[in-house]
Amino acid sequence: MILVTGGAGFIGANFVLNWLAQCDEPLVNLDSLTYAGNLQSLQSVAKNSNYHFVQGDIGDKVLLEALLQQHQPRAVVHFAAESHVDRSIHGPADFVQTNIVGTFHLLEAVRHYWGGLSAHQAGAFRMLHVSTDEVYGSLKDADAPFTEQHAFQPNSPYSASKAASDHLVRAWHHTYGLPVLTTNCSNNYGPYHFPEKLIPLVIHNALAGKTLPIYGDGQQVRDWLYVSDHCSAICAVLQAGRLGETYNVGGWNEKTNLEVVHAICAHLDLARPLPNGSYADQISFVTDRPGHDRRYAIDASKLANELGWKPAETFETGIAKTIDWYLNNQDWVLNVTSGAYRDWVSQQYVTAQA
Ligand code: NAD
Ligand code: DAU
C-alpha cells in the first residue's frame, strides 16, 4: 500500500480518486484538514475498502511512526502543504511550520521506518516529494523555460518554504541514502480546486455576477497543466524515476492571466449565456500581488525523454472539462464558498470514527 499526505486537498484528492480508480493497491490518506482540506471531494471513495483516511498532522512524530508501522507502505507521496501564495504573504508562519518543519518531521519518520525494513523492502521503497516550479523564481519574457538545472530563486514566503523542503529532501537522500524523488510542477487546474486560486475563483465569480479580479496588468504568465496529467506524471516518476532525481512537470501551456480569464469567459458565454453582454465585462484590474512573479514556464523534456510521460490534455480541452465540472458540481462549490464543507467534514469525520 501507499501513504499519501494532503490527499484531501486539490491535487491530492484528484490523485487519490485516480489511484483508486486505476489500481487495486490500498492507499492511506493522512491529512490534517486545514481550510484547504475537503473530505467532500473524496465522498465517492469514502467506503472503498482500499481507502483509509486518517486526520492528522505531518508534524506529529508519534502519529507518523505509528502509521508507518501499522500500514507498512511501500511508498509515501507527500502533497501536504500550505499552497496559496497570497495567504503566505499575509501569514507566512503556517508555511514555515507545515512546508519546512512538517516535511522535516515526515522525512525523519520515514527514515526511521525505512531503516527498519528488510533489504528487499528498503530497496523497493520510495518517498516522492511533490513540489512546485515557483522554487526557480521568475523568468523574463525571452528566457528559456526552467530546466531541473535552474538555480533556486524563490521570491514569496510560499516558494521559499517549498524550496527549503526540496533542499531537505535532497539532503536526506545525499546524507542518509533515503530513496527520494522530487517533482517540480507548474500551475494545476481542474476539478475540486479551491476557489481562492485564479481559475476556480474566476469561474465562481463569473457565475455569481461578481467582479473578476486581475492583479496588476494581467500580463503575468503561468504554465497550466490539467490536474490528472500531474497525477499521471507523479505515478510515472514513482514507478520508474531515478533515485534522488528531480523531474519538472508541465504541459507547455504558457498563458497570460488575461488570456486565461478571457478563455473562461468565452466558454461561459457559450455554456451559460448572459441576457446582455459577456462575462468579460466583469473583469476588474486590482492592486498587484506584492513581489508578483512575472513568468513561470517548465521544460518537461527530462520527464518525457526518460519516462515517456506526456500530458493527455491541451489547455483548450482541459479548461473546457474544468468549466463543465464546475457547472455540474455547483453544490461542491456552494459548500466550499459558504464554509458548509467544514461542518460536513466534522460530521463526516465523527461518523467515520464511530
Ligand atoms: P491544497 O492547499 O489544495 O491542499 C493541501 C492539503 O494539505 C489540504 O488537504 C490540507 O488539509 C493538507 N495539509 C496542510 N497542512 C497539513 C499538515 N500540517 N498535515 C497534514 N495535512 C496538511 O494544495 P494543492 O494545490 O493540492 O497542492 C498539493 C501539493 O502540490 C503542495 O505541496 C503544493 O506545493 C504542490 N503543487 C501545487 C500546484 C498547484 O498548482 N496547486 C502546482 C505544483 C505543486
Ligand atoms: O506554479 C505552481 C503554483 O501555482 C503552485 O505551487 C501554487 O500552490 C499554486 O497556488 C499556484 O500559484 P499561483 O500564485 O501561480 O496561482 P494563483 O491561482 O494564486 O494565481 C495565478 C495567477 O493569477 C498569478 O499570476 C496571480 C494571478 N491572480 C490570482 C488571483 C487569485 C489574479 O490576477 N487574480 C486573482 O484573484
Side-chain angles (χ1 to χ4, degrees):
M1 72 141 59
I2 67 164
L3 173 67
V4 165
T5 71
F10 161 50
I11 304 173
N14 278 281
F15 182 87
V16 169
L17 294 172
N18 289 0
W19 182 272
L20 294 171
Q22 287 164 11
C23 69
D24 199 26
E25 185 174 4
L27 178 155
V28 176
N29 174 14
L30 170 66
D31 196 300
S32 63
L33 299 181
T34 67
Y35 79 95
N38 186 347
L39 284 187
Q40 205 169 3
S41 307
L42 295 163
Q43 198 173 5
S44 64
V45 294
K47 294 193 166 64
N48 184 323
S49 58
N50 274 346
Y51 174 66
H52 308 277
F53 174 71
V54 177
Q55 183 170 13
D57 198 297
I58 55 165
D60 183 340
K61 289 179 274 187
V62 176
L63 174 66
L64 285 175
E65 301 271 358
L67 269 182
L68 290 164
Q69 286 308 325
Q70 181 190 348
H71 294 289
Q72 300 278 307
R74 70 165 177 95
V76 173
V77 183
H78 177 34
F79 292 97
E82 290 294 336
S83 71
H84 191 36
V85 174
D86 292 328
R87 285 183 190 256
S88 83
I89 294 166
H90 291 289
D94 286 348
F95 289 73
V96 171
Q97 195 57 38
T98 286
N99 299 0
I100 306 177
V101 181
T103 299
F104 160 72
H105 287 306
L106 181 65
L107 281 165
E108 279 295 81
V110 169
R111 180 166 76 89
H112 290 137
Y113 164 70
W114 173 71
L117 293 175
S118 69
H120 175 71
Q121 288 171 321
F125 183 82
R126 299 287 182 269
M127 173 168 165
L128 190 148
H129 173 59
V130 180
S131 193
T132 172
D133 59 359
E134 298 200 14
V135 298
Y136 298 124
S138 183
L139 292 168
K140 298 203 167 31
D141 286 351
D143 289 347
F146 300 125
T147 67
E148 290 81 358
Q149 277 69 49
H150 198 283
F152 275 27
Q153 294 173 333
N155 291 318
S156 71
Y158 163 69
S159 55
S161 68
K162 290 296 290 187
S165 68
D166 290 17
H167 286 317
L168 290 176
V169 170
R170 176 189 158 86
W172 260 240
H173 174 70
H174 191 79
T175 304
Y176 305 113
L178 195 68
V180 302
L181 301 150
T182 297
T183 52
N184 292 91
C185 188
S186 61
N187 284 63
N188 285 213
Y189 65 101
Y192 306 110
H193 204 180
F194 195 89
E196 64 182 353
K197 309 277 170 72
L198 180 71
I199 287 182
L201 179 98
V202 164
I203 298 170
H204 172 66
N205 280 14
L207 293 170
K210 296 181 182 168
T211 56
L212 312 181
I214 308 270
Y215 297 163
D217 63 4
Q219 294 305 314
Q220 301 81 9
V221 172
R222 296 293 182 266
D223 188 351
W224 294 95
L225 184 70
Y226 190 65
V227 62
S228 59
D229 282 327
H230 187 185
C231 297
S232 73
I234 289 169
C235 288
V237 174
L238 189 60
Q239 196 176 335
R242 285 184 293 130
L243 291 187
E245 291 288 316
T246 64
Y247 292 87
N248 282 354
V249 186
W252 305 96
N253 277 314
E254 286 185 61
K255 305 269 176 213
T256 67
N257 293 338
L258 212 47
E259 284 173 331
V260 168
V261 174
H262 276 293
I264 295 169
C265 292
H267 189 98
L268 287 174
D269 284 340
L270 292 174
R272 290 284 158 90
L274 291 166
N276 297 302
S278 162
Y279 289 98
D281 300 337
Q282 293 165 222
I283 288 174
S284 167
F285 289 88
V286 300
T287 308
D288 207 352
R289 170 186 281 175
H292 199 170
D293 283 340
R294 194 68 179 168
R295 174 176 167 237
Y296 306 139
I298 275 284
D299 180 338
S301 43
K302 177 179 175 182
L303 182 56
N305 296 338
E306 277 191 22
L307 304 181
W309 174 86
K310 59 176 195 269
E313 305 293 342
T314 63
F315 183 76
E316 288 66 32
T317 60
I319 198 72
K321 280 188 178 181
T322 303
I323 295 169
D324 290 344
W325 185 88
Y326 280 91
L327 288 172
N328 293 325
N329 289 276
Q330 281 294 301
D331 52 341
W332 183 91
V333 179
L334 196 66
N335 277 336
V336 170
T337 51
S338 71
Y341 77 107
R342 308 283 287 174
D343 306 334
W344 187 91
V345 162
S346 52
Q347 280 168 19
Q348 171 72 8
Y349 186 63
V350 169
T351 312
Q353 292 299 299

